[in-house]
Amino acid sequence: MARGNRQDNGARKPDMPTAKLTKENLREALLIFSYVKPYRWTFITGLLFIALSSGTTMAFPYFLKRLIDSAHSLSLGKEAVAPGTIALWMLGILIMQMIFSFMRVYLFSYVGEYALADMRKDVYRKMIMMSMNFFAQRRVGELSSRISADLSQIQEAVTGMLAEILRGLLTLVIGMGLILYLSRSLTLVMLSVVPVIVVAGVVFGRKIRKLSRHTQDQLADSNTIVQETLQGIGNVKAFTNEWYEIGRYTKSLQQVVKLAVSNGRFRGFFVSFILMSIFGTIILVVWYGTTLVQAGTLSFGDLTAFVVYTAFVGGSMAGFADLYTQLQKTLGATQRVREILRDDTEPVAVTDEPVAEINKLHGAVRFEHVAFSYPSRKEVHILKDVSISAAPGEQIAIVGPSGAGKSTIAALLLRFYQPDEGKLLFDGRPADDIPLSQLRKQMALVPQDVLLFGGTIRENIAYGKPGATQAEIEAAARKANAHDFIVGFSEGYDTVVGERGVKLSGGQRQRIAIARAILKDPVILVLDEATSSLDSASESLVQEALDNLMKNRTSFVIAHRLSTIRNADKIVVLDKGHVVESGTHQELLSHDDGLYKSLNKLQLEWTSEES
């Protein structure tokens, strides 16, 4: 909308690095549990099944010990529980473990999906209600990443990672207790290797995290190239730069591959070292354990159980390295989502309530000594002491050279931004006294670059009045000169327009936008160069539709083609942020040295040359 701020729309905040484990970050992570709270009993039940699952898992080696010792005792002619009975006990434990594991996964998935759906709705609601300044300083891809990639990372944490951390901790604690109970001397041998594994995990982990972060950043840059290329595919093809863009994307991907391979190399070293350490420890434990079995201080069953418990403990320790990395990513994602949810710099004042009688407008609008600079470029003064007034039902045309501040007037009318100085009044009331949603419900915008949503023509017209009947939609389309071309499609009003309306011509998209505005039946209408990009044939149809739309409505027409606003009640000429002239078409042409007369002359000369 506001051209004065378009060059800032590409500004992008740098991706946050993976978050470190600090008290502050952990407190931030409690955001997750605020969404889990409505499902707390399901969550607590899931925790119970984690404990039961871990308990049955750790019970298995104990019964394996009993089975081996029973077989050994019977071979020596001693009394013992029958191995078949112990095997049945073990089968029962496996069945229980299967049930507990199923319930654990199911309950945590249930809580995670519902909690994250609630969080997605809150993030989307927060983003969509932010002011235009919020969107002017962020890329669409960045915001999409917040609601997709970051929330998916949090979702994985709730549904899987959290359960794995708790299960790993229980396995570690129970396992350590049991191996200490079975043999303190073997436990000391096993633990002697732990410091080496921890130090290696820290060193390799830091390097792997750094490379992973660089890989993610480079991949994000590659995705940005794809997004920008596809959005501007017309320019790419017009300049025959397909191979240039392919080369640019290929170069970026090569960097991704290079970083990913380096990351894979370090991960390979790390995994190999961990596996060697774990299995080396098991070999050491088994060798030392056999000496204890030979000495008669340890049974063969105890040694078997100790080895299995050691594997469980070692597996838990090895798993914590990956879980730690995942936890850091989740904390980083939580910080970014929390940043949006906690952003209180922009007012959220939009409601879905119908327009109250006290807020119904008659259409009088007045700018009183308005000055404005875009928040991202405060040093550039777009409007300076601008005063404009419109009576109910008047057509006000805003003209002037590029960069004069025309579209900024439209942005302020729609209250996308607030004036830095001066007042904006509706029916004599300050704009701030009228709730934002109540004001915008009585206004409509027809922009130069019409954005149609990817649904049907019917859905796009009905966007002006959700819930409108087919008769209302068709009546609006007829007034917009759109009905004839719509019924010419094989699917009529159910024709899918494609992404951003790509299946329709510029004139067709413009007339659908006009039908949308007619259906809304606004009191105040804003037309932002609605015909400037159309050919003469399309312009004639669109202009007729606009004339129908502007009847009995206060209209602000931002015009590039002066021929379209000759019948305006008042023409306001802007130059360098100032109102330099004001009057009717004939009045302004009578000013010999006036800017309007000069612009009109230039357009007439250009038109004659074209013809």
Side-chain angles (χ1 to χ4, degrees), residues 89-120:
W89 291 348
M90 295 175 72
L91 181 61
I93 289 172
L94 286 176
I95 292 173
M96 286 191 293
Q97 208 247 1
M98 180 181 69
I99 295 171
F100 296 155
S101 296
F102 168 79
M103 292 302 298
R104 168 180 65 83
V105 173
Y106 169 73
L107 292 174
F108 270 84
S109 296
Y110 178 93
V111 172
E113 293 294 339
Y114 276 97
L116 265 296
D118 293 342
M119 190 182 292
R120 285 183 196 276

Side-chain angles (χ1 to χ4, degrees), residues 31-43 111 115 118:
L31 165 72
I32 299 174
F33 292 98
S34 67
Y35 286 90
V36 170
K37 190 175 181 180
Y39 315 101
R40 57 185 176 276
W41 293 114
T42 305
F43 183 76
V111 172
D118 293 342

Side-chain angles (χ1 to χ4, degrees), residues 257-279:
V257 171
K258 183 179 178 181
L259 289 169
V261 169
S262 295
N263 190 19
R265 184 165 61 248
F266 274 93
R267 286 178 65 86
F269 286 150
F270 180 57
V271 170
S272 300
F273 179 80
I274 291 295
L275 288 175
M276 185 187 73
S277 300
I278 290 174
F279 284 102

Side-chain angles (χ1 to χ4, degrees), residues 28 139 214 279 304 330 354 359 362 368 375 389 414 460 488:
E28 289 284 328
R139 277 177 137 177
H214 290 331
F279 284 102
T304 304
T330 301
N359 293 321
H362 299 291
E368 288 187 353
S389 62
L414 290 160
N460 273 282

Side-chain angles (χ1 to χ4, degrees), residues 196-246:
V196 179
I197 297 176
V198 170
V199 171
V202 170
V203 173
F204 277 98
R206 285 179 178 173
K207 185 64 176 178
I208 290 170
R209 284 193 298 276
K210 185 178 179 180
L211 286 171
S212 295
R213 184 165 66 247
H214 290 331
T215 304
Q216 289 169 353
D217 291 343
Q218 188 62 44
L219 185 59
D221 290 341
S222 299
N223 292 336
T224 299
I225 293 173
V226 173
Q227 186 180 38
E228 292 177 346
T229 302
L230 295 181
Q231 286 178 342
I233 191 65
N235 287 329
V236 174
K237 292 190 173 297
F239 286 90
T240 61
N241 274 341
E242 290 91 341
W243 284 107
Y244 169 76
E245 294 298 343
I246 291 170

Side-chain angles (χ1 to χ4, degrees), residues 148-390:
S148 56
D150 285 340
L151 286 177
S152 294
Q153 179 65 47
I154 296 173
Q155 182 180 24
E156 290 175 10
V158 176
T159 57
M161 187 189 73
L162 183 59
E164 289 301 318
I165 289 176
L166 293 172
R167 195 163 67 90
L169 285 173
L170 284 172
T171 300
L172 185 62
V173 171
I174 296 173
M176 289 297 295
L178 289 172
I179 61 176
L180 275 169
Y181 171 76
L182 288 171
S183 174
R184 292 185 179 180
S185 56
L186 275 179
T187 301
L188 291 174
V189 172
M190 189 269 291
L191 291 179
S192 64
V193 186
V194 170
V196 179
I197 297 176
V198 170
V199 171
V202 170
V203 173
F204 277 98
R206 285 179 178 173
K207 185 64 176 178
I208 290 170
R209 284 193 298 276
K210 185 178 179 180
L211 286 171
S212 295
R213 184 165 66 247
H214 290 331
T215 304
Q216 289 169 353
D217 291 343
Q218 188 62 44
L219 185 59
D221 290 341
S222 299
N223 292 336
T224 299
I225 293 173
V226 173
Q227 186 180 38
E228 292 177 346
T229 302
L230 295 181
Q231 286 178 342
I233 191 65
N235 287 329
V236 174
K237 292 190 173 297
F239 286 90
T240 61
N241 274 341
E242 290 91 341
W243 284 107
Y244 169 76
E245 294 298 343
I246 291 170
R248 195 159 66 104
Y249 183 59
T250 301
K251 184 178 179 181
S252 181
L253 278 183
Q254 287 172 346
Q255 290 297 317
V256 173
V257 171
K258 183 179 178 181
L259 289 169
V261 169
S262 295
N263 190 19
R265 184 165 61 248
F266 274 93
R267 286 178 65 86
F269 286 150
F270 180 57
V271 170
S272 300
F273 179 80
I274 291 295
L275 288 175
M276 185 187 73
S277 300
I278 290 174
F279 284 102
T281 302
I282 291 174
I283 292 171
L284 182 63
V285 165
V286 171
W287 169 77
Y288 185 63
T290 54
T291 62
L292 297 178
V293 171
Q294 290 175 348
T297 56
L298 189 71
S299 71
F300 187 70
D302 286 338
L303 176 60
T304 304
F306 190 94
V307 170
V308 175
Y309 281 132
T310 299
F312 282 168
V313 170
S316 298
M317 288 181 176
F320 282 142
D322 188 52
L323 289 173
Y324 178 74
T325 301
Q326 294 298 319
L327 179 60
Q328 287 183 311
K329 290 181 180 179
T330 301
L331 290 176
T334 304
Q335 283 180 337
R336 291 188 286 266
V337 171
R338 193 71 160 174
E339 177 188 351
I340 292 176
L341 290 175
R342 280 185 167 177
D343 193 326
D344 57 0
T345 59
E346 310 288 349
V348 180
V350 179
T351 65
D352 198 30
E353 299 173 358
V355 178
E357 191 67 33
I358 191 175
N359 293 321
K360 286 188 177 178
L361 302 178
H362 299 291
V365 181
R366 190 162 75 251
F367 287 80
E368 288 187 353
H369 306 290
V370 168
F372 178 74
S373 299
Y374 285 102
S376 58
R377 295 179 298 148
K378 279 296 184 182
E379 73 284 357
V380 181
H381 301 291
I382 306 299
L383 297 180
K384 308 162 189 174
D385 195 28
V386 169
S387 294
I388 303 172
S389 62

Side-chain angles (χ1 to χ4, degrees), residues 309-598:
Y309 281 132
T310 299
F312 282 168
V313 170
S316 298
M317 288 181 176
F320 282 142
D322 188 52
L323 289 173
Y324 178 74
T325 301
Q326 294 298 319
L327 179 60
Q328 287 183 311
K329 290 181 180 179
T330 301
L331 290 176
T334 304
Q335 283 180 337
R336 291 188 286 266
V337 171
R338 193 71 160 174
E339 177 188 351
I340 292 176
L341 290 175
R342 280 185 167 177
D343 193 326
D344 57 0
T345 59
E346 310 288 349
V348 180
V350 179
T351 65
D352 198 30
E353 299 173 358
V355 178
E357 191 67 33
I358 191 175
N359 293 321
K360 286 188 177 178
L361 302 178
H362 299 291
V365 181
R366 190 162 75 251
F367 287 80
E368 288 187 353
H369 306 290
V370 168
F372 178 74
S373 299
Y374 285 102
S376 58
R377 295 179 298 148
K378 279 296 184 182
E379 73 284 357
V380 181
H381 301 291
I382 306 299
L383 297 180
K384 308 162 189 174
D385 195 28
V386 169
S387 294
I388 303 172
S389 62
E394 272 194 332
Q395 179 182 337
I396 308 297
I398 312 292
V399 302
S402 297
K406 302 186 297 295
S407 291
T408 302
I409 293 288
L412 292 176
L413 272 170
L414 290 160
R415 291 193 63 195
F416 290 160
Y417 302 94
Q418 299 280 15
D420 296 330
E421 298 176 18
K423 295 179 181 179
L424 174 59
L425 306 171
F426 293 92
D427 293 344
R429 296 174 60 189
D432 290 339
D433 291 351
I434 305 173
L436 186 59
S437 55
Q438 303 267 296
L439 179 64
R440 287 182 182 164
K441 282 179 184 293
Q442 301 173 81
M443 303 176 74
L445 168 69
V446 180
Q448 175 184 1
D449 301 318
V450 174
L451 170 65
L452 297 184
F453 298 97
T456 63
I457 291 176
R458 183 199 320 277
E459 291 169 341
N460 273 282
I461 295 176
Y463 200 78
K465 183 183 176 182
T469 64
Q470 179 64 20
E472 290 174 320
I473 292 171
E474 287 190 16
R478 290 180 191 277
K479 290 181 181 178
N481 287 339
H483 178 75
D484 290 343
F485 85 76
I486 293 173
V487 296
F489 293 126
S490 59
E491 296 179 344
Y493 282 84
D494 292 319
T495 301
V496 176
V497 302
E499 187 175 359
R500 302 176 66 89
V502 70
K503 294 183 180 180
L504 304 179
S505 70
Q508 290 171 336
R509 289 197 299 271
Q510 205 69 272
R511 279 176 277 169
I512 288 177
I514 293 170
R516 177 193 292 170
I518 290 173
L519 187 61
K520 187 175 184 181
D521 192 22
V523 178
I524 299 171
L525 179 66
V526 181
L527 306 177
D528 188 3
E529 298 191 7
T531 63
S532 65
S533 61
L534 303 179
D535 56 59
S536 298
S538 296
E539 181 183 351
S540 176
L541 288 169
V542 171
Q543 190 60 49
E544 183 181 344
L546 288 173
D547 291 339
N548 291 333
L549 175 59
M550 288 188 287
K551 286 178 182 176
N552 303 318
R553 293 186 173 92
T554 303
S555 304
F556 285 83
V557 183
I558 297 165
H560 174 70
R561 295 183 182 178
L562 302 185
S563 59
T564 63
I565 49 92
R566 288 177 178 174
N567 296 322
D569 297 301
K570 186 190 298 181
I571 299 173
V572 177
V573 185
L574 288 177
D575 187 27
K576 299 178 181 178
H578 292 283
V579 176
V580 294
E581 292 178 289
S582 180
T584 64
H585 174 71
Q586 292 300 327
E587 289 172 347
L588 293 176
L589 286 181
S590 66
H591 300 166
D592 291 335
D593 297 326
L595 178 59
Y596 181 81
K597 185 173 183 179
S598 174

